[in-house]
Amino acid sequence: MIEKNSSDVATEDALAVKAASDTLLDDLILYVDLDGTVTPTDTAQEQILDCVFNGRGVGTLLRAALKRDIPAIKSAASQHAAFRADLLPYCEDMLQYIEDVRAQGRAVVLATAADKVTAEAVAAHLGIFDRVLASEDGVNLKGERKLKAIVQDCQGRGFEYIGDSQADVPIWDAADRVGIIASGKMANIWKQRWRHKISLFIDQTRSFADLTRAMRPHQWAKNLLIFLPLLFAHAYADAAATIAALLAFFAFSFVASAVYLLNDLSDLVADRQHPRKCNRPFAAGRVPPITGVVTAVLLLVVAFAIGAFGVSSGFALMLLLYLVMTTGYTLYLKAYSTVDVLTLAFLYTLRVGAGAAATGISVSPWLVTFCFFFFVSLAYMKRFIEVLDVAEDGEKLPSRNYWGGEDMLMFSFGIVNAGLCLLTLAQYIGSVQVAGAYGAPDLLWLSIPLLMFWLNRSWLYAARGKVGDDPVAFAVKDPISRIVLLMVVVAIFLAKYLHLDTVLL
């Protein structure tokens, strides 16, 4: 008889436990949550926002909300929203795990608090679930209710459950095996709590950088237009006017970021069909929709507080006009060709008017006209890029009234408006007002070839696919563009303060 030492016995015991565990695991039914697990986003939140933004089923949603009937809210949103299961972002690690489980011959069930219509659409698209348990008939399948449904479904057999939220705690407690998709400090707490029966752990920590990226702070450069009245009136030595302009800049920037958040949330379906926009934080599911809404509201509150109490009531009204116009653009106007471009140009030009309201400096009609033509050109450049990049001939751009094959029309409209803005600038430089306001007005003519170079180069780069999705963002990041802007500003300063007659004498 061969005797075994204690270490050999311990090893055999560990192997026996592992074998028993593997046998148990092979027989377990796998139940998987949808929101935050199979997909990183929340389908109900997306559908509710889609209904609100597009005005579909809002009355039904409100009635259900007043009754605090969560299943009815989810059902109404699921029925009226433009939901596309094939466009949802999915957790690839989670899908691979499910495929591995199916290869073992185990059943896989989608168990979710989402509405059943939504859950079945996802299950039909993925084709990896044997059946679906979801909210229906007035029952919100969450927490204890989901646990009860799982226990009834598995009929006394053991089960494995994969989820992501606090509501899943009672199900994890009852499960034989646990899968956790978690983020933040709760990830480690849950991992430690069920360490003896974890089968899968995915750390899906969300970064504040993703929310910041969705706010697009680089686009705040557009709000530098607020300083134009200050610049051309050469009133930058006026401390009160400069501080007012700075406050106005941040107020406008906060409103703009809020609008970007809401615009991305309203454009999820279109963004997910775009080769680059599909990587935006909301489209990719890296930021929950509700986080975007809450952040947008906070930004608006802060912005209007700054505008009304820190700047002036006139500026606050300009800020409100901007919010109304840009919201109208987000919800309706962007769907109409030409109207969308003119609206974008107006919103840019409105920033100049806001700067005037903030500082109390009147704006020259020449400046307003130049800005409008200039930004019409850039708006058409944006549409040109979208048509050229996304659509084939005869294919309609998502959420836009433009079609493939119309790129040369966009190109022509943009070049014409670029020429008009340069012509306006030339007429302004040759006007009597300039002759009396500048010491060396002839130096302003240097700005025309500089701007002509920048506009022509930008359109050339757009045709070559080098500008990206946004011409303004391109200008901010492009070194040559920054150099050209600096040279124009230097020309303006020299024209104001340099007196050529004195220098030449």
Side-chain angles (χ1 to χ4, degrees):
M1 182 176 177
I2 301 174
E3 293 185 1
K4 300 177 181 178
N5 60 37
S6 59
S7 62
D8 292 334
V9 173
T11 301
E12 288 185 0
D13 288 344
L15 291 173
V17 170
K18 183 180 184 303
S21 175
D22 290 342
T23 301
L24 175 64
L25 185 60
D26 288 343
D27 193 45
L28 298 179
I29 299 174
L30 173 61
Y31 293 89
V32 184
D33 190 20
L34 173 59
D35 299 322
T37 305
V38 172
T39 175
T41 190
D42 187 297
T43 55
Q45 291 178 16
E46 287 193 9
Q47 291 171 336
I48 291 170
L49 289 174
D50 182 78
C51 290
V52 172
F53 285 131
N54 294 287
R56 294 190 296 262
V58 176
T60 307
L61 282 172
L62 283 175
R63 286 190 292 272
L66 290 173
K67 295 177 182 178
R68 298 183 180 180
D69 189 342
I70 295 177
I73 294 173
K74 292 179 179 179
S75 177
S78 181
Q79 291 173 17
H80 293 96
F83 179 71
R84 291 277 302 272
D86 60 312
L87 296 178
L88 278 180
Y90 291 102
C91 178
E92 294 300 326
D93 291 339
M94 184 71 257
L95 297 185
Q96 183 58 56
Y97 184 78
I98 294 173
E99 291 289 358
D100 293 342
V101 167
R102 287 173 58 84
Q104 297 169 10
R106 295 167 56 194
V108 182
V109 181
L110 182 61
T112 173
D115 184 73
K116 192 162 188 177
V117 173
T118 299
E120 289 181 339
V122 171
H125 168 66
L126 293 176
I128 56 177
F129 298 104
D130 295 283
R131 52 190 178 275
V132 172
L133 301 177
S135 297
E136 61 176 334
D137 300 328
V139 177
N140 185 33
L141 206 69
K142 190 172 184 178
E144 295 287 353
R145 291 189 182 92
K146 185 187 288 189
L147 174 58
K148 183 179 179 180
I150 289 174
V151 170
Q152 290 177 347
D153 184 77
C154 68
Q155 298 178 346
R157 294 172 59 187
F159 70 91
E160 177 184 3
Y161 179 75
I162 303 177
D164 71 294
S165 70
Q166 185 66 36
D168 295 318
V169 168
I171 311 174
W172 282 325
D173 280 333
D176 296 278
R177 303 289 282 181
V178 166
I180 298 173
I181 314 292
S183 61
K185 63 180 181 181
M186 292 308 299
N188 290 326
I189 293 174
W190 289 338
K191 184 179 180 181
Q192 184 65 21
R193 177 172 175 175
W194 292 289
R195 64 187 182 280
H196 61 287
K197 57 180 181 179
I198 283 185
S199 56
L200 175 71
F201 179 81
I202 299 176
D203 188 345
Q204 203 173 64
T205 301
R206 300 182 189 276
S207 171
F208 181 73
D210 286 321
L211 177 59
T212 303
R213 180 184 167 205
M215 291 165 58
R216 301 182 213 175
H218 64 278
Q219 297 282 10
W220 291 8
K222 299 174 181 178
N223 300 320
L224 292 173
L225 293 168
I226 286 172
F227 293 96
L228 285 187
L230 199 69
L231 173 66
F232 285 104
H234 302 284
Y236 21 79
D238 185 334
T242 302
I243 291 172
L246 282 169
L247 291 173
F249 169 81
F250 284 108
F252 240 86
S253 297
F254 292 159
V255 171
S257 286
V259 171
Y260 285 133
L261 293 174
L262 296 176
N263 182 66
D264 283 359
L265 288 169
S266 72
D267 239 2
L268 287 176
V269 173
D271 284 352
R272 284 171 179 163
Q273 297 176 74
H274 192 278
R276 289 187 297 275
K277 292 180 182 180
C278 64
N279 293 316
R280 286 178 173 176
F282 293 116
R286 292 193 297 274
V287 178
I290 190 64
T291 301
V293 173
V294 171
T295 304
V297 171
L298 290 175
L299 286 170
L300 290 175
V301 169
V302 173
F304 278 97
I306 293 173
F309 302 109
V311 185
S312 68
S313 57
F315 171 76
L317 288 174
M318 295 292 284
L319 201 60
L320 180 61
L321 176 60
Y322 173 80
L323 178 61
V324 170
M325 288 294 298
T326 195
T327 302
Y329 170 82
T330 297
L331 298 181
Y332 306 108
L333 300 179
K334 68 182 180 184
Y336 298 93
S337 57
T338 305
V339 173
D340 63 332
V341 169
L342 296 178
T343 303
L344 284 175
F346 174 79
L347 289 172
Y348 280 115
T349 308
L350 183 64
R351 290 168 165 88
V352 179
T359 58
I361 298 171
S362 60
V363 180
S364 164
W366 293 106
L367 177 60
V368 174
T369 306
F370 168 83
C371 288
F372 188 74
F373 284 135
F374 181 83
F375 288 113
V376 167
S377 179
L378 293 192
Y380 271 120
M381 185 184 297
K382 185 176 177 66
R383 292 294 176 262
F384 168 76
I385 292 166
E386 291 174 344
V387 172
L388 192 67
D389 191 42
V390 178
E392 299 177 359
D393 287 359
E395 180 184 351
K396 187 175 181 293
L397 283 177
S399 302
R400 303 286 189 273
N401 191 25
Y402 295 93
W403 301 77
E406 294 180 342
D407 50 295
M408 291 312 298
L409 278 174
M410 304 298 106
F411 189 89
S412 300
F413 295 156
I415 292 297
V416 166
N417 280 278
L420 287 173
C421 87
L422 292 173
L423 179 60
T424 301
L425 179 59
Q427 290 178 318
Y428 167 69
I429 293 172
S431 67
V432 176
Q433 299 154 288
V434 168
Y438 287 83
D442 288 343
L443 290 178
L444 289 175
W445 288 105
L446 293 173
S447 63
I448 290 183
L450 287 170
L451 289 173
M452 183 182 294
F453 163 76
W454 185 84
L455 284 165
N456 291 346
R457 176 177 177 269
S458 296
W459 273 103
L460 184 63
Y461 273 38
R464 294 175 179 176
K466 294 183 177 182
V467 171
D469 297 322
D470 190 335
V472 176
F474 164 77
V476 171
K477 298 175 183 177
D478 177 48
I480 300 298
S481 298
R482 293 198 293 264
I483 291 172
V484 170
L485 175 62
L486 177 62
M487 293 175 70
V488 170
V489 171
V490 169
I492 293 171
F493 272 87
L494 290 176
K496 174 64 178 177
Y497 297 108
L498 189 65
H499 294 271
L500 289 180
D501 292 343
T502 303
V503 172
L504 292 175
L505 289 173

